[in-house]
Amino acid sequence: MRVVADIPNPHVKITLHSYNGKYILKLEKANLEQLYKIEETEVMGDEGAKALIDEEFIEGVLNRFQDMRDIFVSTVRRNG
């Protein structure tokens, strides 16, 4: 897997990778991560993949991270 770019963002760490005909968009916050796999044919190169990361996408990602955290905290409380 090749790192294509580290994409600056104040809320999450974003890394764009290239692997086996796909771009892999990796977003990290604290101990959680989200991966999005994009066929290279679906976007116009590295810049096309980066262009997917707009404000609305980041807002959705942050909401998903909050949901992930809440679910994990709940299971730890029930089972810890």
Side-chain angles (χ1 to χ4, degrees):
M1 187 160 31
R2 174 178 70 89
V3 174
V4 174
D6 289 316
I7 301 165
N9 185 280
H11 306 290
V12 295
K13 179 180 180 194
I14 305 173
T15 310
L16 181 64
H17 300 269
S18 179
Y19 178 73
N20 204 22
K22 292 182 175 56
Y23 285 107
I24 300 170
L25 191 56
K26 180 178 178 181
L27 299 104
E28 300 173 80
K29 186 170 178 81
N31 61 337
L32 301 171
E33 68 179 42
Q34 296 177 44
L35 297 176
Y36 295 85
K37 295 180 182 178
I38 307 149
E39 294 289 333
E40 286 182 354
T41 57
E42 291 182 33
V43 294
M44 298 295 291
D46 300 355
E47 293 306 313
K50 291 177 192 177
L52 297 173
I53 306 166
D54 62 12
E55 202 171 301
E56 189 173 338
F57 177 74
I58 292 296
E59 183 179 334
V61 164
L62 293 172
N63 289 338
R64 174 78 34 93
F65 274 129
Q66 185 62 49
D67 291 344
M68 291 168 70
R69 182 186 175 286
D70 292 347
I71 291 166
F72 185 71
V73 167
S74 293
T75 195
V76 168
R77 287 183 179 154
R78 282 192 313 275
N79 300 294

